[in-house]
Amino acid sequence: MTVSALVGMQWGDEGKGKIVDILAGNADVVVRCQGGANAGHTVVLGQDVFALHLIPSGILRDDVVCVIGNGVVADPVRLSEELEGLRGRVKDVDGRFFLSDRAHMVMPWHKSLDALAEGKLGSSSIGTTKQGIGPTYIDKVKRSGIRWNQARDIDNFRKRFQTALADANAVIKLLGGDPMDERETEERVVDIVGKLRPYIADTVAMLHRFVREEKRVLLEGAQGTMLDVDFGTYPFVTSSNTTAGGCITGSGLPPTALRDVHGLLKAFTSRVGSGPFPTELDGREAELLRGTGANQWDEFGTTTGRPRRCGWLDLVVARHAARVNGVNRLHITKLDILSQFDELKVCTAYRIGGQETSDFPADSWSLEDCEPVYETLPGWKCDLPACKAVAELPEAAANYVNRIAQFLEMDVASVSYGPGREQTAF
Ligand code: IMP
């Protein structure tokens, strides 16, 4: 079996774009399985920077087939903009990009409802990306969503669209929002959806065929474990399963097909939006981790541009993620950012209400009063040299990597120390 999955082990933004791009070099097919345009994967190729939101990062490799799986909520407007932005910059996507007929559509009203719901929550808002992700998954689970297969018959699609928009406008009015212009919205969306119809496919059958043909399939997770609707810091999470299980239900491939689970762990922690973050820093240390925003890979949201909250590496989170995903290939990213510090801290346990635990608790509010138990490790205070193996790193940097591996009881598959493909040690 040649199916692997790649998942984030923190709150997203672990540098998945770069590692998917590297792994895609050994893949024939890359599949997005959950989430939607809330994701932002940055890939740097020489002077060219690509910010991908919906389309799998594998699109940057000429011969890779890219699939948006059934578990994704795909916004036609964002998708068509993204395809347009890639035109002329990557090999033609026709014939190598497919969109599941079972995937749900994010409609303009889902974005309005997202913003209105956040506004109502006020200071306890989740800090969503306002891409309509939650409301679209609500409709999916409520069994009232619109799937891409419905776009195959545009007349029927129009009918379904009109009913759904009328219902949504009623709710928008109730919530104090401005209802959408029905005619204009319908014409705009129908036009875009019509143009995307050639990409709609039965991707479940297609992926099974690829596996039978022994093609190498990479399931590209979005967000990260701590944003998983079951295993993350609920309710400050996204609305899908961002873990390896979501790669399975969101692609239609069976769990028995999965050979490797690549887990991505940034060498420190960041999160955007609200919610608990036990190892969060403020002041100068946070600024050093975040960067100034001058570089694409600084800690500012790819989708929203928001500055990310930053803090020390949390190994309680990492172990929780390793367990629920079954990670067997560990990739550490952005090690170079730690080169600025004299010493480094890693959190190995939490003290909550006088009790020490190294299991991640279900109760997000208990984390507000959690005291991280830190271990201090020496920094290396120099630029990391171009190297191909972990053993070639400066001693303190190799120690840092090895401490993570020891805590998680697994080997390290790669260490990334810069945004370029070549800035990676194996
Ligand atoms: P939503 O997915 O837009 O509903 O947002 C829910 C939470 O997940 C918010 O805290 C977002 O900031 C966060 N989130 C969603 N997508 C990403 C991502 O790709 N990276 C990091 N955080 C994300």
mmCIF file of all heavy atoms in Angstrom, residues 90-113:
data_model
loop_
_atom_site.group_PDB
_atom_site.id
_atom_site.type_symbol
_atom_site.label_atom_id
_atom_site.label_comp_id
_atom_site.label_asym_id
_atom_site.label_seq_id
_atom_site.Cartn_x
_atom_site.Cartn_y
_atom_site.Cartn_z
ATOM 1 N N VAL A 90 2.028 27.381 -13.120
ATOM 2 C CA VAL A 90 2.242 25.938 -12.949
ATOM 3 C C VAL A 90 1.767 25.254 -14.226
ATOM 4 O O VAL A 90 1.055 25.855 -15.040
ATOM 5 C CB VAL A 90 1.444 25.358 -11.743
ATOM 6 C CG1 VAL A 90 1.828 26.027 -10.447
ATOM 7 C CG2 VAL A 90 -0.067 25.458 -11.952
ATOM 8 N N LYS A 91 2.153 23.985 -14.368
ATOM 9 C CA LYS A 91 1.708 23.246 -15.552
ATOM 10 C C LYS A 91 0.172 23.209 -15.571
ATOM 11 O O LYS A 91 -0.447 23.089 -14.493
ATOM 12 C CB LYS A 91 2.270 21.819 -15.490
ATOM 13 C CG LYS A 91 2.102 21.069 -16.786
ATOM 14 C CD LYS A 91 2.694 19.682 -16.677
ATOM 15 C CE LYS A 91 2.045 18.787 -17.700
ATOM 16 N NZ LYS A 91 2.213 17.377 -17.391
ATOM 17 N N ASP A 92 -0.411 23.323 -16.742
ATOM 18 C CA ASP A 92 -1.862 23.374 -16.892
ATOM 19 C C ASP A 92 -2.559 22.369 -15.966
ATOM 20 O O ASP A 92 -2.167 21.207 -15.890
ATOM 21 C CB ASP A 92 -2.219 23.067 -18.353
ATOM 22 C CG ASP A 92 -3.664 23.444 -18.642
ATOM 23 O OD1 ASP A 92 -4.302 24.040 -17.753
ATOM 24 O OD2 ASP A 92 -4.150 23.128 -19.748
ATOM 25 N N VAL A 93 -3.580 22.834 -15.258
ATOM 26 C CA VAL A 93 -4.231 21.973 -14.264
ATOM 27 C C VAL A 93 -5.292 21.058 -14.890
ATOM 28 O O VAL A 93 -5.730 20.101 -14.256
ATOM 29 C CB VAL A 93 -4.878 22.789 -13.122
ATOM 30 C CG1 VAL A 93 -3.844 23.656 -12.432
ATOM 31 C CG2 VAL A 93 -6.047 23.611 -13.617
ATOM 32 N N ASP A 94 -5.701 21.358 -16.134
ATOM 33 C CA ASP A 94 -6.751 20.539 -16.741
ATOM 34 C C ASP A 94 -6.244 19.110 -16.902
ATOM 35 O O ASP A 94 -5.141 18.886 -17.385
ATOM 36 C CB ASP A 94 -7.179 21.112 -18.098
ATOM 37 C CG ASP A 94 -7.858 22.461 -17.925
ATOM 38 O OD1 ASP A 94 -8.126 22.835 -16.769
ATOM 39 O OD2 ASP A 94 -8.083 23.155 -18.940
ATOM 40 N N GLY A 95 -7.059 18.155 -16.456
ATOM 41 C CA GLY A 95 -6.659 16.754 -16.550
ATOM 42 C C GLY A 95 -5.846 16.272 -15.357
ATOM 43 O O GLY A 95 -5.556 15.090 -15.232
ATOM 44 N N ARG A 96 -5.486 17.196 -14.458
ATOM 45 C CA ARG A 96 -4.757 16.751 -13.259
ATOM 46 C C ARG A 96 -5.290 17.414 -11.990
ATOM 47 O O ARG A 96 -4.681 17.354 -10.931
ATOM 48 C CB ARG A 96 -3.253 16.929 -13.405
ATOM 49 C CG ARG A 96 -2.782 18.340 -13.474
ATOM 50 C CD ARG A 96 -1.274 18.409 -13.698
ATOM 51 N NE ARG A 96 -0.788 19.761 -13.489
ATOM 52 C CZ ARG A 96 -0.142 20.156 -12.404
ATOM 53 N NH1 ARG A 96 0.117 19.329 -11.430
ATOM 54 N NH2 ARG A 96 0.273 21.401 -12.303
ATOM 55 N N PHE A 97 -6.442 18.057 -12.114
ATOM 56 C CA PHE A 97 -7.096 18.603 -10.922
ATOM 57 C C PHE A 97 -8.557 18.157 -10.913
ATOM 58 O O PHE A 97 -9.273 18.313 -11.905
ATOM 59 C CB PHE A 97 -7.011 20.140 -10.911
ATOM 60 C CG PHE A 97 -7.889 20.741 -9.847
ATOM 61 C CD1 PHE A 97 -7.607 20.525 -8.500
ATOM 62 C CD2 PHE A 97 -9.021 21.471 -10.184
ATOM 63 C CE1 PHE A 97 -8.441 21.036 -7.513
ATOM 64 C CE2 PHE A 97 -9.855 21.992 -9.212
ATOM 65 C CZ PHE A 97 -9.555 21.778 -7.868
ATOM 66 N N PHE A 98 -8.999 17.589 -9.796
ATOM 67 C CA PHE A 98 -10.368 17.059 -9.711
ATOM 68 C C PHE A 98 -10.999 17.455 -8.377
ATOM 69 O O PHE A 98 -10.328 17.524 -7.348
ATOM 70 C CB PHE A 98 -10.358 15.532 -9.850
ATOM 71 C CG PHE A 98 -9.745 15.082 -11.142
ATOM 72 C CD1 PHE A 98 -8.405 14.721 -11.205
ATOM 73 C CD2 PHE A 98 -10.493 15.085 -12.317
ATOM 74 C CE1 PHE A 98 -7.812 14.345 -12.403
ATOM 75 C CE2 PHE A 98 -9.914 14.717 -13.529
ATOM 76 C CZ PHE A 98 -8.573 14.330 -13.570
ATOM 77 N N LEU A 99 -12.311 17.644 -8.457
ATOM 78 C CA LEU A 99 -13.073 18.119 -7.304
ATOM 79 C C LEU A 99 -14.165 17.088 -7.014
ATOM 80 O O LEU A 99 -14.952 16.755 -7.912
ATOM 81 C CB LEU A 99 -13.674 19.481 -7.691
ATOM 82 C CG LEU A 99 -14.701 20.129 -6.816
ATOM 83 C CD1 LEU A 99 -14.148 20.382 -5.419
ATOM 84 C CD2 LEU A 99 -15.122 21.458 -7.453
ATOM 85 N N SER A 100 -14.223 16.611 -5.790
ATOM 86 C CA SER A 100 -15.175 15.542 -5.464
ATOM 87 C C SER A 100 -16.622 15.978 -5.657
ATOM 88 O O SER A 100 -17.024 17.062 -5.212
ATOM 89 C CB SER A 100 -14.992 15.101 -4.013
ATOM 90 O OG SER A 100 -16.041 14.239 -3.652
ATOM 91 N N ASP A 101 -17.406 15.106 -6.265
ATOM 92 C CA ASP A 101 -18.833 15.393 -6.427
ATOM 93 C C ASP A 101 -19.576 15.291 -5.089
ATOM 94 O O ASP A 101 -20.721 15.692 -4.976
ATOM 95 C CB ASP A 101 -19.460 14.463 -7.492
ATOM 96 C CG ASP A 101 -19.137 12.996 -7.281
ATOM 97 O OD1 ASP A 101 -18.523 12.647 -6.249
ATOM 98 O OD2 ASP A 101 -19.490 12.176 -8.168
ATOM 99 N N ARG A 102 -18.906 14.758 -4.068
ATOM 100 C CA ARG A 102 -19.527 14.665 -2.744
ATOM 101 C C ARG A 102 -19.116 15.823 -1.829
ATOM 102 O O ARG A 102 -19.615 15.937 -0.713
ATOM 103 C CB ARG A 102 -19.135 13.353 -2.069
ATOM 104 C CG ARG A 102 -19.756 12.117 -2.700
ATOM 105 C CD ARG A 102 -19.237 10.857 -2.014
ATOM 106 N NE ARG A 102 -19.963 9.672 -2.403
ATOM 107 C CZ ARG A 102 -19.658 8.908 -3.458
ATOM 108 N NH1 ARG A 102 -18.638 9.232 -4.232
ATOM 109 N NH2 ARG A 102 -20.371 7.832 -3.739
ATOM 110 N N ALA A 103 -18.154 16.643 -2.253
ATOM 111 C CA ALA A 103 -17.728 17.786 -1.425
ATOM 112 C C ALA A 103 -18.871 18.797 -1.350
ATOM 113 O O ALA A 103 -19.661 18.914 -2.294
ATOM 114 C CB ALA A 103 -16.490 18.430 -2.034
ATOM 115 N N HIS A 104 -18.938 19.509 -0.242
ATOM 116 C CA HIS A 104 -19.993 20.520 -0.083
ATOM 117 C C HIS A 104 -19.505 21.882 -0.553
ATOM 118 O O HIS A 104 -18.312 22.170 -0.518
ATOM 119 C CB HIS A 104 -20.431 20.597 1.377
ATOM 120 C CG HIS A 104 -21.398 19.519 1.737
ATOM 121 N ND1 HIS A 104 -22.695 19.756 2.071
ATOM 122 C CD2 HIS A 104 -21.243 18.166 1.752
ATOM 123 C CE1 HIS A 104 -23.316 18.605 2.303
ATOM 124 N NE2 HIS A 104 -22.453 17.619 2.127
ATOM 125 N N MET A 105 -20.461 22.703 -0.985
ATOM 126 C CA MET A 105 -20.120 24.052 -1.459
ATOM 127 C C MET A 105 -20.275 25.066 -0.331
ATOM 128 O O MET A 105 -21.289 25.060 0.361
ATOM 129 C CB MET A 105 -21.107 24.474 -2.548
ATOM 130 C CG MET A 105 -20.726 24.007 -3.911
ATOM 131 S SD MET A 105 -21.792 24.829 -5.102
ATOM 132 C CE MET A 105 -21.773 23.578 -6.381
ATOM 133 N N VAL A 106 -19.274 25.926 -0.213
ATOM 134 C CA VAL A 106 -19.413 27.082 0.672
ATOM 135 C C VAL A 106 -20.094 28.170 -0.159
ATOM 136 O O VAL A 106 -19.613 28.524 -1.236
ATOM 137 C CB VAL A 106 -18.033 27.588 1.154
ATOM 138 C CG1 VAL A 106 -18.185 28.824 2.033
ATOM 139 C CG2 VAL A 106 -17.278 26.486 1.898
ATOM 140 N N MET A 107 -21.204 28.645 0.338
ATOM 141 C CA MET A 107 -21.962 29.652 -0.408
ATOM 142 C C MET A 107 -21.747 31.044 0.222
ATOM 143 O O MET A 107 -21.379 31.124 1.390
ATOM 144 C CB MET A 107 -23.449 29.285 -0.376
ATOM 145 C CG MET A 107 -23.734 28.063 -1.210
ATOM 146 S SD MET A 107 -23.257 28.452 -2.913
ATOM 147 C CE MET A 107 -23.745 26.982 -3.750
ATOM 148 N N PRO A 108 -22.023 32.103 -0.529
ATOM 149 C CA PRO A 108 -21.775 33.451 0.032
ATOM 150 C C PRO A 108 -22.471 33.660 1.378
ATOM 151 O O PRO A 108 -21.947 34.333 2.258
ATOM 152 C CB PRO A 108 -22.352 34.390 -1.032
ATOM 153 C CG PRO A 108 -22.329 33.604 -2.296
ATOM 154 C CD PRO A 108 -22.499 32.166 -1.917
ATOM 155 N N TRP A 109 -23.661 33.053 1.546
ATOM 156 C CA TRP A 109 -24.376 33.279 2.809
ATOM 157 C C TRP A 109 -23.679 32.575 3.977
ATOM 158 O O TRP A 109 -23.797 32.994 5.117
ATOM 159 C CB TRP A 109 -25.833 32.848 2.719
ATOM 160 C CG TRP A 109 -26.076 31.427 2.295
ATOM 161 C CD1 TRP A 109 -26.071 30.323 3.098
ATOM 162 C CD2 TRP A 109 -26.379 30.972 0.973
ATOM 163 N NE1 TRP A 109 -26.346 29.201 2.366
ATOM 164 C CE2 TRP A 109 -26.553 29.569 1.047
ATOM 165 C CE3 TRP A 109 -26.545 31.608 -0.268
ATOM 166 C CZ2 TRP A 109 -26.854 28.788 -0.065
ATOM 167 C CZ3 TRP A 109 -26.853 30.832 -1.368
ATOM 168 C CH2 TRP A 109 -26.999 29.446 -1.271
ATOM 169 N N HIS A 110 -22.928 31.508 3.691
ATOM 170 C CA HIS A 110 -22.203 30.846 4.786
ATOM 171 C C HIS A 110 -21.177 31.793 5.393
ATOM 172 O O HIS A 110 -20.959 31.808 6.605
ATOM 173 C CB HIS A 110 -21.503 29.574 4.282
ATOM 174 C CG HIS A 110 -22.457 28.478 3.939
ATOM 175 N ND1 HIS A 110 -22.458 27.817 2.735
ATOM 176 C CD2 HIS A 110 -23.457 27.915 4.660
ATOM 177 C CE1 HIS A 110 -23.415 26.906 2.723
ATOM 178 N NE2 HIS A 110 -24.029 26.943 3.880
ATOM 179 N N LYS A 111 -20.567 32.607 4.523
ATOM 180 C CA LYS A 111 -19.575 33.563 5.035
ATOM 181 C C LYS A 111 -20.266 34.644 5.869
ATOM 182 O O LYS A 111 -19.767 35.031 6.918
ATOM 183 C CB LYS A 111 -18.823 34.203 3.871
ATOM 184 C CG LYS A 111 -17.944 33.212 3.142
ATOM 185 C CD LYS A 111 -17.036 33.972 2.209
ATOM 186 C CE LYS A 111 -16.550 33.090 1.115
ATOM 187 N NZ LYS A 111 -15.792 33.770 0.108
ATOM 188 N N SER A 112 -21.446 35.115 5.388
ATOM 189 C CA SER A 112 -22.173 36.127 6.170
ATOM 190 C C SER A 112 -22.570 35.555 7.524
ATOM 191 O O SER A 112 -22.440 36.214 8.557
ATOM 192 C CB SER A 112 -23.466 36.555 5.458
ATOM 193 O OG SER A 112 -23.169 37.044 4.202
ATOM 194 N N LEU A 113 -23.049 34.302 7.508
ATOM 195 C CA LEU A 113 -23.496 33.687 8.769
ATOM 196 C C LEU A 113 -22.318 33.487 9.724
ATOM 197 O O LEU A 113 -22.458 33.649 10.939
ATOM 198 C CB LEU A 113 -24.194 32.346 8.486
ATOM 199 C CG LEU A 113 -25.553 32.474 7.781
ATOM 200 C CD1 LEU A 113 -26.048 31.117 7.292
ATOM 201 C CD2 LEU A 113 -26.597 33.122 8.705
#
